[in-house]
Structure formats: C-alpha cells, structure tokens
Amino acid sequence: MLLTVLGCSGSVPGPHAASSGYLVEADGFLLAVELGSGTLAAMQAIRDPFALDALLFSHLHADHCADFASLTVYRRYHPRPTRDPRANRLPVHAPAAAPRRFAGAYATDEAELAVTDLSDVFDFRPLRAGTFHIGPFEVTAATAAHPCEAYSFRIAHGGRSLVYTGDTGLCGPVTALADGADVVLAEASWTHGSGASTAMHLSGREAGELAAVAGAGRLLVTHIPPWTDRDAVRAEATAAFPGEVTLVREGAAYEL
C-alpha cells in the first residue's frame, strides 16, 4: 500500500497547508480518505481526480470534507473527463447524513437544495461499524469518540494494515481496532494537559500511547492544527511510543 498525504492541517487549513486528505493505493486502485479544504487542488498536482475509484469519509466536519462540493463541480462540468462520471458513479462511503450534507454544501439556497441530487455522479453508501471491502482493501470501521457520527478505519491489503483514527478521543473501539496494526495514522490536535477536551481529539501523548498499546510497528502523526506546537506533539508521541514516529507532511508519500 502507498499512502500519499494531500493535506494534514488539523481543524482548519493552515498557511499554505490543506486540511485532512489522503490517498491510499494498491493494485492500481485509488482510494481517497477525507477531502478537506485545499485537498482537491493538491490532488490535481499529482493525480487526475477522475482516477479516483472510491471515497471514504470518517465524519462530516468541514476540515474533512469541504472540497466535496468542488469535486462535484469537477466531475459534472469538466469538458474532457477521462471517465464518464455518470456512467461511472464514484462510490462514496460516508456517514448516513452525507447525501443531504453534501447537497447543502453544493446548493446556493433553500430552493436549490430542494431539488439538488448528487446521485448522478456519486454512489452514496452509508457507513456502519463492521468490516466491508472497497476494491482490493478490507476495511473495518469502528465508532470513534467525537461529537457527531464518526468512525476510525483499519485498511488492510496484502497482509499489511493501516489504522486511521480520524478524529477521536481515546476509546475502547478505536484501541481494539489498532491492535497489531503495522502502521497507525493518528491525529494529535494538542499537547497533553493543555486544558482541551479529551473527549473528541487525541494529544501527542495519547497518540503515542494508542500506538504503544496496539504494538504498532510505526506511528504517523497527523491533524496538527496551525496553533499547536508540532515539536511538542512529536516529543510527547516519541516519549510514549518506542517505535518510529513521523509527523506527516503534505505531499509526502509513505510505503506501508
């Protein structure tokens, strides 16, 4: 599997930094996980958006899905698509509210929303906890601790596994999901004990603890907001996890 980071700024885009978005690729199948602010621009710099085979969203906060409306425009109105978007509707695995939520982001007013239907170019498939397949990937979704319907994912292929926490506080389902993972891609939105709520995001220390308890081979840290000290997050994660710790970078690719 190859993981490419389209964006990794937490909560909001940062200076010259897109919000959450990742590409996971294997056997010629291209899966996008999240599509936050700025990620469609980043994608176009390296890949044809029509090359996407599926989309997967952990939850529907804007920093994880804001560019979906732009992707809709791209797929509907590009004059020379490399694939017919209506004959090849893009599968979208997302929380159940996604069709209405994305239609609302696309429509200009209530009258247009009443007649907006994105199913001409997208095939919406509601998420639930459990295991399913997206192309060559076996995906297991677990309920995350976040103030909306939200999931963490374990993506497996060829005997290797990537666990992506999405946005979550520490909780039993996510800890169980990460058990034995080769790579944990964990958010870390703040430093530990900073006074922020532990019910919705991880600190650097908690990201490290999650990977350590899981016995993971490698920890990739993401979703650090522009106002959070990256060096402090790295130090916390490194102190809690004995393996390799990497703070991911936009545009970087990681062999898993």
Side-chain angles (χ1 to χ4, degrees):
M1 289 189 291
L2 179 68
L3 171 71
T4 302
V5 179
L6 300 175
C8 53
S9 182
S11 298
V12 297
H16 308 291
S19 297
S20 295
Y22 313 91
L23 300 176
V24 182
E25 188 171 6
D27 295 348
F29 190 96
L30 189 61
L31 171 65
V33 182
E34 321 286 43
L35 202 64
S37 304
T39 54
L40 183 60
M43 186 188 306
Q44 291 175 75
I46 58 172
R47 298 299 296 265
D48 177 1
F50 283 105
L52 284 174
D53 293 296
L55 280 168
L56 177 64
F57 289 98
S58 66
H59 67 294
L60 302 179
H61 280 151
D63 60 314
H64 291 253
C65 66
D67 272 11
F68 190 90
S70 297
L71 180 65
T72 304
V73 173
Y74 193 98
R75 289 182 65 82
R76 275 181 164 171
Y77 299 113
H78 194 294
R80 293 178 298 277
T82 54
R83 296 184 185 180
D84 182 348
R86 289 168 175 79
N88 301 279
R89 294 189 306 149
L90 186 65
V92 178
H93 302 263
R100 184 70 174 172
R101 166 76 168 81
F102 291 153
Y106 182 83
T108 57
D109 54 34
E110 289 297 321
E112 184 178 348
L113 175 58
V115 296
T116 295
D117 180 2
L118 307 184
S119 63
D120 59 327
V121 291
F122 298 110
D123 176 12
F124 290 102
R125 305 180 184 186
L127 286 172
R128 62 181 62 86
T131 299
F132 54 99
H133 286 83
I134 302 177
F137 302 110
E138 180 182 84
V139 180
T140 301
T143 302
H146 204 56
C148 62
E149 183 184 0
Y151 298 91
S152 301
F153 303 115
R154 187 183 185 107
I155 302 172
H157 175 269
R160 302 286 291 176
S161 58
L162 165 70
V163 167
Y164 169 56
T165 64
D167 287 5
T168 185
L170 281 179
C171 61
V174 175
T175 300
L177 188 74
D179 186 42
D182 294 296
V183 179
V184 172
L185 175 63
E187 68 116 317
S189 295
W190 39 56
T191 52
H192 203 73
S194 60
S197 171
T198 60
M200 66 180 75
H201 289 292
L202 300 175
S203 66
R205 188 175 91 180
E206 288 170 328
E209 290 172 345
L210 174 65
V213 169
R218 186 179 182 190
L219 173 61
L220 303 178
V221 180
T222 189
H223 196 274
I224 301 176
W227 51 76
T228 296
D229 186 331
R230 291 174 60 86
D231 290 336
V233 168
R234 184 201 304 271
E236 286 190 356
T238 301
F241 177 62
E244 179 184 352
V245 176
T246 301
L247 269 58
V248 302
R249 295 181 296 105
E250 183 173 327
Y254 303 90
E255 290 281 354
L256 305 178

